[in-house]
Amino acid sequence: MSDRLFIFDTTLRDGEQVPGCQLNTVEKIQVAKALEQLGVDVIEAGFPISSPGDFNSVIEISKAVTWPTICALTRAVEKDIDCAAEALKYAKHKRIHTGIGTSDSHIKYKFNSNREEIIERAVAAVKYAKRYVEDVEFYAEDAGRTDNEYLARVVEAVIKAGATVVNIPDTTGYCLPEEYGHKIKYLMEHVDGVHKAVLSTHCHNDLGMATANTLQGVLNGARQVEVTINGIGERAGNTSLEEIAMILKCHKGVGIDTNINTTKICPTSRLVSSLMNMPVQPNKAIVGRNAFAHSSGIHQDGVLKNVQTYEIIDPKEVGLDDNAIVLTARSGRAALKYRLHVNGVEVEDEAKLDALYKKFLVLADKKKEVTDDDILVLAGAESAEGHSVKLDYLQVTTGKGVKSVASVGLDISGQKFEECSTGNGPVDAAIKALKRIIRKNMTLKEFTIQAIDKGSDDLGKVHMQVEYDGHVYYGFGADTDIVTASVEAYIDCINKFRD
Ligand code: KIV
Ligand code: ZN
């Protein structure tokens, strides 16, 4: 019989810490529901003390989701734990995730403390959290660089105090797979009472070893893995859920199963990427655009003769459906609603569906085929509806050997403004015209343009970073016209300014 591995998804906590990836509560609920459909066991919904937004999201996710355990992060601090317990009050299954740094550098520089005092604080935090919930997870931050003997003492103490899960994070992504596997093995062999709790992996990808480290952790006894969709997370990211789920599915011989419904992997990946405006690298394992594309002649020939020659996963297993309905200008509301549903977006409200359908028809008139990525972009744009600065119109004249000229019209809280400017290209001209209306000291720091699919009629996605008043703001725009997408992305940044 196979062993069961618990999947702890931290897309909405560690993943959401990525600059520019912040979601509002409605979007987080959408992701949480998709994670529930995907079959994750635990959803880390946020760090409630860190902001009112996080607090509120944990409350709303707790109400919206039924089966998975909802987990809230805290430091080993009583007021954090009080706050997490309050945020979890509606969760059907709840967990508090508390912890403290255990490496010598964390003990010395972060806490100006010593090893014995850290154990006392860890135990006190677990006991305090146990007053609120039965299920308490403890994290030993920077466990990857913590001396194993000391780590074993910490783990033993928190299990005695009632921890049900103990998380061994490789916070800095430093460990080698063999070293991380050995760490878990050491704990399994040296901690008294280790079987009263589940050991969990939490690996970061700074050296590209997060998945390998997680796998070694599992092979050596960990029975929970902390992962994110598309591997997003702090710096180089966390272990990606889809990689671990598919490794265990492909390698049945390992004898470990998860509850993941793998056919939901690609739709969930697209939903997260689209809501977070975080493109997935084309060659990303499992969910990258090219993950199943055979381009060389030899490979294509082999696949045509027998797919097993070059394919270890049937794309249908991860939810890539060759027969997916392609939406066109002749598709109806029901088809649009169905494709959104397949991609994890539920549109129950008829008025919302109507508004979305109108936008869809405009796009379908410009593009022959509207893809899942396109409709996710349209659905995402709905949430920007309440913005105070809106693009009213944009006209650009450009070409080789002439200066580009742009006229921009903005609607700012109902008032109309217009300006024009020349520039060294159409985007430059349009942004200069925009800046003549919004007279603020703002600087464009980063600007990327990406086509979603293929074809000259494709939607272009633009990501921008604009610096204003000491802060960097992240903006996103999508349109079949890349100059419009660029101006929309700049306006998206402006709408996020704090003043
Ligand atoms: O990477 C880490 O150590 C963490 C902990 C807060 C669990 O994210
Ligand atoms: Zn982390």
Side-chain angles (χ1 to χ4, degrees):
M1 217 185 68
S2 292
D3 252 17
R4 170 83 148 80
L5 178 70
F6 294 101
I7 303 289
F8 175 116
D9 182 278
T10 183
T11 305
L12 294 172
R13 201 278 298 168
D14 225 336
E16 220 244 349
Q17 281 170 221
V18 177
C21 281
Q22 280 64 41
L23 300 178
N24 61 37
T25 303
V26 175
E27 292 165 333
K28 284 187 191 174
I29 291 171
Q30 227 172 305
V31 173
K33 284 185 167 168
L35 292 172
E36 183 172 34
Q37 296 289 312
L38 180 64
V40 308
D41 299 287
V42 186
I43 296 176
E44 189 162 46
F47 181 11
I49 195 102
S50 68
S51 72
D54 251 43
F55 179 81
N56 200 36
S57 300
V58 176
I59 292 201
E60 296 306 324
I61 291 170
S62 299
K63 290 181 191 164
V65 160
T66 309
W67 299 113
T69 295
I70 304 300
C71 177
L73 185 77
T74 81
R75 295 167 297 181
V77 172
E78 289 190 357
K79 69 173 187 318
D80 286 30
I81 297 171
D82 295 335
C83 183
E86 176 65 16
L88 286 169
K89 70 179 170 205
Y90 297 106
K92 287 99 193 154
H93 313 279
K94 49 187 99 179
R95 178 183 295 176
I96 291 178
H97 188 191
T98 189
I100 196 162
T102 53
S103 64
D104 286 336
S105 74
H106 276 229
I107 294 175
K108 185 167 169 203
Y109 300 114
K110 235 176 112 172
F111 302 112
N112 187 22
S113 184
N114 58 62
R115 286 182 166 192
E116 299 314 310
E117 201 177 275
I118 290 295
I119 294 187
E120 279 168 29
R121 286 170 69 173
V123 166
V126 170
K127 285 190 173 159
Y128 193 75
K130 283 294 257 197
R131 288 166 42 169
Y132 288 113
V133 293
E134 173 45 34
D135 192 2
V136 174
E137 174 167 343
F138 175 82
Y139 64 86
E141 196 180 8
D142 205 13
R145 293 186 302 169
T146 300
D147 151 56
N148 286 349
E149 232 173 276
Y150 174 63
L151 187 61
R153 286 183 55 212
V154 176
V155 174
E156 192 166 306
V158 295
I159 292 176
K160 267 203 191 103
T164 45
V165 181
V166 184
N167 177 10
I168 310 298
D170 183 20
T171 305
T172 58
Y174 175 77
C175 285
L176 294 167
E178 196 188 17
E179 194 183 352
Y180 188 76
H182 175 71
K183 194 173 277 291
I184 299 293
K185 187 171 189 306
Y186 183 90
L187 296 174
M188 292 299 292
E189 287 172 354
H190 291 85
V191 170
D192 250 6
V194 74
H195 296 290
K196 291 188 189 143
V198 169
L199 292 189
S200 179
T201 67
H202 178 115
C203 299
H204 280 269
N205 204 28
D206 299 66
L207 292 171
M209 296 190 288
T211 298
N213 283 349
T214 298
L215 188 62
Q216 279 305 317
V218 172
L219 295 177
N220 284 284
R223 284 296 172 267
Q224 176 181 279
V225 292
E226 305 197 3
V227 290
T228 60
I229 301 293
N230 301 334
I232 60 166
E234 283 272 343
R235 308 181 309 279
N238 290 58
T239 306
S240 59
L241 182 151
E242 58 276 10
E243 291 173 14
I244 290 297
M246 289 315 293
I247 289 170
L248 296 175
K249 192 163 183 190
C250 290
H251 289 270
K252 285 267 180 266
V254 172
I256 294 177
D257 276 342
T258 71
N259 187 45
I260 295 300
N261 173 357
T262 60
T263 63
K264 300 278 181 198
I265 283 179
C266 284
T268 313
S269 157
R270 278 200 293 263
L271 179 72
V272 168
S273 162
S274 169
L275 289 174
M276 291 192 165
N277 296 326
M278 181 79 165
V280 176
Q281 79 192 58
N283 58 327
K284 165 81 182 65
I286 320 292
V287 292
R289 189 170 72 233
N290 297 344
F292 296 95
H294 304 281
S295 53
S296 88
I298 295 174
H299 287 208
Q300 286 175 348
D301 182 53
V303 168
L304 286 173
K305 286 176 176 143
N306 184 326
V307 290
Q308 283 179 6
T309 49
Y310 288 99
E311 218 165 76
I312 57 165
I313 299 170
D314 178 347
K316 287 194 182 72
E317 274 186 71
V318 293
L320 276 182
D321 187 356
D322 288 345
N323 305 318
I325 300 170
V326 175
L327 299 176
T328 68
R330 280 166 302 288
S331 304
R333 278 176 186 68
L336 175 65
K337 190 173 171 182
Y338 174 72
R339 272 330 292 170
L340 284 165
H341 160 77
V342 168
N343 283 284
V345 181
E346 303 302 341
V347 190
E348 302 304 347
D349 181 358
E350 282 303 310
K352 254 196 192 156
L353 182 62
D354 272 355
L356 213 50
Y357 186 64
K358 273 192 195 127
K359 287 188 181 172
F360 160 75
L361 287 180
V362 173
L363 181 63
D365 269 348
K366 295 184 196 167
K367 285 192 75 181
K368 274 202 301 279
E369 291 178 351
V370 179
T371 65
D372 285 349
D373 285 314
D374 293 333
I375 60 168
L376 282 170
V377 167
L378 290 184
E382 287 288 284
S383 63
E385 221 75 305
H387 284 173
S388 60
V389 182
K390 291 184 184 135
L391 181 62
D392 211 12
Y393 73 85
L394 168 70
Q395 188 177 22
V396 187
T397 315
T398 191
K400 195 169 161 62
V402 291
K403 255 191 173 288
S404 301
V405 185
S407 311
V408 170
L410 294 187
D411 178 318
I412 306 182
S413 307
Q415 260 190 295
K416 307 281 184 192
F417 298 85
E418 52 189 3
E419 274 294 351
C420 56
S421 175
T422 55
N424 66 10
V427 174
D428 185 44
I431 285 173
K432 279 184 175 145
L434 174 78
K435 286 171 104 176
R436 285 188 173 165
I437 304 174
I438 310 282
R439 294 182 169 275
K440 290 187 169 165
N441 192 9
M442 8 183 224
T443 317
L444 181 58
K445 302 298 278 185
E446 205 175 296
F447 175 30
T448 55
I449 302 182
Q450 190 200 17
I452 293 182
D453 245 343
K454 46 196 174 256
S456 56
D457 64 348
D458 195 11
L459 268 189
K461 279 180 163 188
V462 173
H463 293 264
M464 273 188 183
Q465 293 180 23
V466 172
E467 189 174 278
Y468 169 63
D469 200 21
H471 297 282
V472 175
Y473 297 89
Y474 296 79
F476 172 75
D479 201 282
T480 47
D481 171 45
I482 54 163
V483 186
T484 304
S486 307
V487 174
E488 293 281 15
Y490 208 108
I491 291 175
D492 192 31
C493 293
I494 293 171
N495 276 305
K496 291 175 182 161
F497 289 177
R498 291 180 197 165
D499 56 15

